[in-house]
Amino acid sequence: MEREFTAPRHGPLVRRCLVVVVAMFGFGFALVPAYRIFCEVTGFQGFIAADGSDRDRGGYVGAVDESRTVTVELVASVNGRAPWGFAPVERRLEVHPGALVTTRYRAVNETGEPRAWQASYNVAPGSAARYLGKPECFCFQRQEFEPGEARELPVTFIVNPDIPSHVKTVTLSYTLFDLEG
Amino acid sequence: MSSVATHPDHGAHAAAKPRGFLRRWVLTTSHKDIGTLYLLFSLAMFFIGGAMAMVIRAELFQPGMDFVDPYFFNQMTTVHGLVMVFGAVMPAFVGLANWMVPLQIGAPDMALPRMNNWSFWLLPAAFSMMLVTFFLPGGAPAAGWTMYPPLVLQTGMAFPFLIFAVHIAGISSIMGAINIIATILNLRAPGMGLLKMPLFVWTWLVTAFLLIAVIPVLAGAITMLLTDQYFGTSFFSAAGGGDPVLYQHIFWFFGHPEVYILILPAFGIVSTILPAFARKPLFGYTSMVYAVASIAFLSFIVWGHHMFTVGMPTAGTLFFMFATMLIAVPTGVKVFNWLATLWRGALTFETPMLFALAFVVLFTIGGLSGIMLAIAPVDFQYHDTYFVVAHFHYVLVSGSIFAIMAAVYFWLPKWTGVMYSERLGKLHFWTSVVAMNLVFFPQHFLGLAGMPRRIADYPVEFMEWNMVSSVGAFAYGAAQLIFVWTVIQCMRGRGKPAPAKPWEGAEGLEWTVPSPAPHHTFHEPPKVV
Ligand SMILES: [Cu+2]
């Protein structure tokens, strides 16, 4: 039995391998939304749904639970040593679950040049993150400031009444990232 | 596809090699020449990465040395890791596969010879790109071989060079892997069923599948780094709503299978050499094959063990901890099969056997420290200490590299047609094995005592063991010169002529062709019984 070595066709096998390669390259990118969903569902890393969308149970609209109050602490920090003043106008709020609350953060450009920043936020404890909805916030948006300008930026949030009763305090933290540096 | 098709009359010039340096080496499509190129490239990288290790150990010889700038020290640890993983160990295994897979399965060449040439020549391009960064303003990458953001994004001009170098090396690996898969699945001699393949071929088949599955994931992760840096995306940037921890998940999804890419072919080599010098067939061939396959499968679901201290839900910690410990089962099967192969064998201790035996003992030490690290609560103590450094050097130096050395001594007579000097080979082995343990065993103690890795200095109480480690490192480096000399002597044809089968107990088709293996082999497929 003589086999001819000139004949084997590798095309189909190679194509199948290439499909694996392309699919796994895509898989790496698919991990990005997968990770975000994982974090939103579990509250891991303090993520909450970026826009208070329906998937986020924090985006609750309904009755206000007057029988209970939750303390919401507001925290601000500036990443690195960027020349920005950044602080919450109110440091702590007593809120009823279900009530829409608006508060403000104040930012000051401490330099003599026009400058911009962008902020991220985080919620602690992680197990409470999914119950904090933010219909409106300045996060992840470029904020342009004139030299020396000070401005207050509103944050609107709502604590979902489903929040477990052992959670008495929720911390909402914003971090300012300088965009010039 | 196959270039062999263009030479219907190969029989007429079966022994002729192409003339001239360019046609013989640069344009070659011969699996043997390309295998040689891969191995020589890997040897060069082994010495370049090794030189960096010498700088690291010189700096750590005493506290407060200031032999090099601390920032340069960080460049050394980073590039040492990248060069050794992607430039030395992986190409060495690909080189061995190029040489031996066609010979072991009775194929005339690799399935895609021209792509084979390409996949080799991408490597010098990739590593020139990586090493040239030492001469750029700001120097080479210094953020660790794992390239974690945000730190890696602070790399200066070297950053795009680093990313593209890893991309190109990755493309080379993927092409090599596809070629090996096509060769093994399509070109086996008639009669060689899958479960008759030598274990080196089996382990490489599984490794090749791992490569095409995870190198693209690494490529995706570093592409995201690139777009975060230059195109305003925020995959890993907290300011834009991304999360740097995500990078670690993606990286280690690649990274854990990668460690098996670096060790499975070594398992194949040891499973070939132990039976040859024990003069007994391998114990438990089929269970070896299944063990390799299950190790490969499990490698996809354990990446979180690199991230216990980063933080994850308790359920995740438990899952990754137990899944990781599960890998000890198939690995244990392999170790016990090797021991059973040796049991009551007629053992002789030529150099390949010595390296293979040292592999079994020392790799097992590395495996056991791996299990210790897999225990999440314990890992909080060991994480990022020299204990981790000791662990992965036991599996990579006395594991992968010892297996590569064993393979080179084992097959060198087949490649060059002469026997290497057994006296020098044994000298190389004994100096290597003593020095290797001097370097890395004390690092266990340093790690348990809390010495952190990747830092250019340390408190005085760590001095003694660091000195031992550094002295061992210099000795290990020097011992490798014996190896180079031994190989050069064989390449120059100095030595006793080797018979077709220089090892009494060796089995396999590669020993049916003359030594040195002629330029063309198995144009008539051999009969496999
Ligand atoms: Cu791992």
Side-chain angles (χ1 to χ4, degrees):
Chain A
M1 195 191 91
E2 183 101 330
R3 195 175 70 165
E4 192 50 66
F5 261 109
T6 56
R9 287 173 32 81
H10 303 297
L13 180 62
V14 171
R15 269 193 292 279
R16 254 176 284 162
C17 290
L18 287 175
V19 168
V20 175
V21 170
V22 173
M24 291 309 288
F25 187 71
F27 175 80
F29 285 87
L31 285 174
V32 177
Y35 180 72
R36 174 157 284 281
I37 292 168
F38 172 80
C39 292
E40 283 170 16
V41 168
T42 61
F44 178 59
Q45 300 288 86
F47 268 87
I48 56 185
D51 50 1
S53 62
D54 293 344
R55 187 178 42 199
D56 167 25
R57 290 209 270 148
Y60 162 89
V61 183
V64 177
D65 180 359
E66 307 253 349
S67 67
R68 227 184 122 188
T69 52
V70 173
T71 305
V72 177
E73 293 179 333
L74 299 151
V75 174
S77 52
V78 176
N79 187 49
R81 284 198 209 98
W84 290 98
F86 185 51
V89 173
E90 298 163 292
R91 295 198 173 274
R92 86 197 341 254
L93 296 166
E94 304 291 328
V95 305
H96 294 304
L100 199 62
V101 182
T102 300
T103 182
R104 283 155 298 140
Y105 274 72
R106 184 183 153 84
V108 185
N109 179 359
E110 291 170 350
T111 69
E113 284 124 50
R115 239 178 143 85
W117 56 263
Q118 184 165 305
S120 69
Y121 64 86
N122 198 276
V123 177
S127 59
R130 60 205 265 208
Y131 300 100
L132 194 83
K134 288 198 298 80
E136 203 191 304
C137 134
F138 54 83
C139 51
F140 305 132
Q141 290 158 9
R142 188 183 169 89
Q143 307 290 340
E144 315 258 1
F145 275 62
E146 295 304 319
E149 182 186 350
R151 202 195 304 161
E152 292 191 351
L153 301 107
V155 177
T156 303
F157 67 86
I158 189 167
V159 176
N160 189 305
D162 291 341
I163 190 163
S165 55
H166 67 266
V167 180
K168 306 277 190 260
T169 304
V170 178
T171 305
L172 176 59
S173 154
Y174 281 85
T175 305
L176 178 152
F177 292 85
D178 186 46
L179 291 183
E180 310 302 312
Chain B
M1 210 68 198
S2 167
S3 73
V4 181
T6 58
H7 300 291
D9 61 339
H10 56 76
H13 54 92
K17 293 175 185 170
R19 307 228 164 184
F21 182 81
L22 185 79
R23 291 186 56 196
R24 173 72 201 277
W25 295 109
V26 181
L27 302 176
T28 180
T29 55
S30 150
H31 74 100
K32 301 186 184 77
D33 289 348
I34 295 176
T36 304
L37 287 172
Y38 263 110
L39 288 165
L40 291 175
F41 174 80
S42 149
L43 185 62
M45 287 296 134
F46 181 54
F47 273 84
I48 291 174
M52 296 176 195
M54 296 302 114
V55 175
I56 294 169
R57 283 318 320 173
E59 175 64 39
L60 295 176
F61 185 74
Q62 274 184 349
M65 274 294 275
D66 226 12
F67 171 66
V68 291
D69 177 70
Y71 186 69
F72 187 72
F73 178 89
N74 294 348
Q75 299 176 24
M76 289 287 109
T77 54
T78 302
V79 184
H80 165 76
L82 289 164
V83 163
M84 286 305 199
V85 168
F86 295 106
V89 175
M90 287 168 72
F93 282 136
V94 180
L96 291 169
N98 256 288
W99 252 105
M100 300 320 299
V101 166
L103 286 180
Q104 290 195 321
I105 64 174
D109 203 318
M110 297 293 280
L112 308 158
R114 264 175 286 184
M115 188 169 88
N116 204 11
N117 172 290
W118 235 56
S119 43
F120 170 73
W121 282 107
L122 284 177
L123 281 179
F127 284 89
S128 316
M129 211 163 182
M130 185 179 295
L131 295 174
V132 81
T133 56
F134 279 106
F135 305 102
L136 294 178
W145 82 278
T146 51
M147 303 175 277
Y148 282 0
L151 186 59
V152 74
L153 299 177
Q154 294 171 23
T155 307
M157 273 181 77
F159 179 75
F161 287 79
L162 167 70
I163 300 295
F164 285 122
V166 176
H167 265 309
I168 296 174
I171 291 171
S172 158
S173 300
I174 291 172
M175 297 201 317
I178 292 178
N179 213 338
I180 288 167
I181 293 173
T183 307
I184 297 175
L185 294 185
N186 287 347
L187 294 186
R188 294 193 312 281
M192 181 169 287
L194 283 176
L195 282 175
K196 278 193 180 174
M197 295 196 310
L199 258 169
F200 179 65
V201 178
W202 251 117
T203 51
W204 241 115
L205 181 63
V206 175
T207 303
F209 278 115
L210 285 180
L211 279 166
I212 63 168
V214 300
I215 295 283
V217 177
L218 171 70
I222 61 174
T223 305
M224 291 181 224
L225 287 177
L226 197 71
T227 61
D228 270 11
Q229 182 81 318
Y230 295 113
F231 302 104
T233 58
S234 306
F235 290 108
F236 310 128
S237 146
D243 186 348
V245 173
L246 172 62
Y247 175 85
Q248 300 188 19
H249 281 287
I250 304 179
F251 181 86
W252 287 112
F253 184 87
F254 147 81
H256 195 83
E258 170 71 13
V259 309
Y260 292 113
I261 288 165
L262 299 171
I263 202 68
L264 291 185
F267 289 172
I269 290 164
V270 170
S271 304
T272 308
I273 291 177
L274 293 182
F277 296 95
R279 291 161 182 79
K280 274 177 64 191
L282 182 71
F283 186 89
Y285 170 90
T286 320
S287 65
M288 286 300 219
V289 172
Y290 284 112
V292 169
S294 30
I295 290 172
F297 170 76
L298 288 173
S299 73
F300 284 99
I301 55 164
V302 298
W303 77 90
H305 62 217
H306 296 270
M307 302 174 59
F308 287 143
T309 60
V310 174
M312 66 178 83
T314 311
T317 305
L318 288 172
F319 171 80
F320 285 123
M321 173 167 128
F322 289 122
T324 305
M325 294 187 358
L326 201 56
I327 297 185
V329 176
T331 314
V333 167
K334 300 197 76 75
V335 173
F336 284 115
N337 280 345
W338 288 326
L339 295 180
T341 305
L342 298 173
W343 180 251
R344 296 199 172 162
L347 305 189
T348 52
F349 299 96
E350 288 86 344
T351 310
M353 180 63 158
L354 290 173
F355 272 105
L357 289 172
F359 172 98
V360 174
V361 176
L362 300 174
F363 172 80
T364 304
I365 293 179
L368 291 174
S369 57
I371 296 178
M372 293 165 74
L373 288 164
I375 303 169
V378 173
D379 182 68
F380 274 72
Q381 169 72 17
Y382 299 165
H383 184 82
D384 254 348
T385 69
Y386 266 84
F387 192 83
V388 179
V389 177
H391 155 68
F392 67 72
H393 282 93
Y394 263 85
V395 290
L396 278 173
V397 179
S398 54
S400 307
I401 290 177
F402 273 25
I404 291 164
M405 296 295 177
V408 170
Y409 284 112
F410 188 60
W411 284 311
L412 204 51
K414 182 55 62 192
W415 301 337
T416 63
V418 293
M419 298 303 287
Y420 61 87
S421 158
E422 197 61 61
R423 197 173 52 83
L424 288 178
K426 288 206 167 100
L427 181 67
H428 172 224
F429 169 76
W430 285 111
T431 45
S432 290
V433 77
V434 171
M436 183 271 156
N437 282 290
L438 276 182
V439 191
F440 296 113
F441 210 84
Q443 295 186 1
H444 290 115
F445 311 145
L446 290 169
L448 292 178
M451 178 170 164
R453 62 190 282 214
R454 290 176 165 159
I455 294 182
D457 207 349
Y458 52 85
V460 210
E461 67 259 32
F462 298 135
M463 185 172 76
E464 284 79 6
W465 287 125
N466 269 298
M467 281 184 162
V468 173
S469 183
S470 290
V471 168
F474 304 141
Y476 187 83
Q480 305 320 302
L481 298 172
I482 308 171
F483 172 72
V484 175
W485 175 248
T486 312
V487 172
I488 289 177
Q489 287 297 80
C490 286
M491 289 176 73
R492 293 163 69 203
R494 305 284 169 85
K496 273 193 305 202
K501 187 176 144 181
W503 313 117
E504 186 198 349
E507 303 230 16
L509 289 175
E510 72 262 42
W511 309 113
T512 63
V513 303
S515 299
H519 199 60
H520 293 288
T521 40
F522 295 134
H523 271 283
E524 301 300 325
K527 282 265 183 296
V528 179
V529 278

